[in-house]
Amino acid sequence: AAPAKQRIALEDKKIVHPVGKRLVELALKKQSNLIASADLITTEEIIDFANKVGEHIVALKLHSDIIQDFSDNLIVELKKVAREKEFLLFEDRKFGDIGNTQELQFKKSIYKISDWADLVTVHPIGGLESLKVFENTGVITIVEMSSKGTLTDDYYFTKAINVSEESGNVLGAVAQRQIPDNLLLFTPGVNISSTGDNKGQQYNTPELVFKNYHTDFMIVGRGIYKAADVKTAAKEYQTLGWISYLQSLND
Ligand code: 5IU
């Protein structure tokens, strides 16, 4: 769908959550709206990847529960790289339970997500109060998915946005369309050389998501970590993402 109105520049967005503010600050400083998804399964691969792409990204997105040798040491090392290269740590946990269970998963699992994640994803399906447990960690709600046949229809999207706007914990949402300006928009399903996989993923280009959806941050997985030269690929996505964002300001 065509965007309703001119997009708001990152610096003009009224983001109140401290983690959201930090993300915007990093984007402007690094001229990057790129979040790399490190869907890698060993500590060695993840640390190597973080070092290579770190200067080009504003956040590194992880799925801790796919890491075969997950340990506190991985987090210690990742925090070091994140501090040095200035990016946030984003755990794509997709919580989706009652508040009490989410709190246990967030604070008590072996992953100790609450100790290190700057950002976490949550399905707002449990309702407004279920989001309280994330305290000062930045919550990104999933209001729409990128995969073919997702159940996140217009009705769900509208209700999920309402919950996101009402909760003080939420700084933004994941979607494949424009969302209200007081939330940051995160869009996965971005790839410049593929239109999808054979498991339902659907890809758009950076140009399309910044122009049509008014995305603030694009999330790229295989487009970068499967590239022969991940550093060059990250730089390429960073440049293309930033140019597409700047162009979308003039549309
Ligand atoms: N991701 C999506 N689509 C979604 C949501 C999350 O692709 O709607 I919510 C995640 C899954 C994966 C990354 O970790 O973003 C995209 O990876 P690829 O660029 O490799 O498809």
Side-chain angles (χ1 to χ4, degrees), residues 21-152:
K21 284 187 175 170
R22 176 76 183 132
L23 199 58
V24 168
E25 194 181 286
L26 284 174
L28 296 169
K29 179 176 175 189
K30 299 178 89 170
Q31 303 207 325
S32 173
N33 41 36
L34 174 62
I35 295 176
S37 186
D39 297 347
L40 301 164
I41 59 173
T42 67
T43 295
E44 193 185 346
E45 289 171 295
I46 292 171
I47 296 297
D48 178 59
F49 184 74
N51 274 303
K52 285 178 175 152
V53 306
E55 72 168 288
H56 303 293
I57 62 173
V58 291
L60 186 74
K61 187 173 83 63
L62 303 168
H63 287 290
S64 335
D65 60 359
I66 66 171
I67 305 167
Q68 295 173 341
D69 56 351
F70 183 91
S71 71
D72 294 347
N73 177 54
L74 167 61
I75 297 304
V76 170
E77 292 300 315
L78 264 186
K79 277 185 166 174
K80 259 189 236 162
V81 186
R83 203 176 315 115
E84 195 186 314
K85 313 250 180 202
E86 292 195 290
F87 59 81
L88 302 185
L89 295 176
F90 177 171
E91 167 57 28
D92 190 7
R93 175 61 180 75
K94 298 185 176 71
F95 293 94
D97 214 312
I98 60 166
N100 188 61
T101 301
Q102 294 188 143
E103 183 168 36
L104 294 170
Q105 293 167 326
F106 179 54
K107 297 179 179 169
K108 304 292 179 189
S109 77
I110 58 166
Y111 306 108
K112 294 278 187 295
I113 298 167
S114 60
D115 284 357
W116 56 269
D118 300 298
L119 298 156
V120 293
T121 49
V122 183
H123 284 291
I125 193 155
L128 182 62
E129 289 187 38
S130 72
L131 301 177
K132 282 188 207 163
V133 301
F134 300 106
E135 297 171 2
N136 300 324
T137 300
V139 171
I140 297 172
T141 53
I142 295 156
V143 301
E144 183 179 31
M145 291 186 70
S146 63
S147 46
K148 213 174 286 173
T150 177
L151 306 184
T152 54

Side-chain angles (χ1 to χ4, degrees), residues 13 15 19-20 23-24 33-35 58-59 61 88 90 119 121 138-144 170-177 179 183-190 209 213-219:
K13 285 213 150 197
I15 304 302
V19 181
L23 199 58
V24 168
N33 41 36
L34 174 62
I35 295 176
V58 291
K61 187 173 83 63
L88 302 185
F90 177 171
L119 298 156
T121 49
V139 171
I140 297 172
T141 53
I142 295 156
V143 301
E144 183 179 31
V170 177
L171 58 86
V174 177
Q176 303 291 324
R177 63 172 103 176
I179 63 170
L183 296 168
L184 293 169
L185 173 57
F186 297 81
T187 302
V190 174
V209 302
Y213 307 160
H214 294 183
T215 294
D216 295 300
F217 297 97
M218 63 176 183
I219 296 172

Side-chain angles (χ1 to χ4, degrees), residues 235-249:
K235 188 166 187 223
E236 197 180 335
Y237 274 94
Q238 175 196 5
T239 305
L240 195 51
W242 195 252
I243 287 173
S244 301
Y245 159 69
L246 292 177
Q247 271 169 1
S248 71
L249 290 173

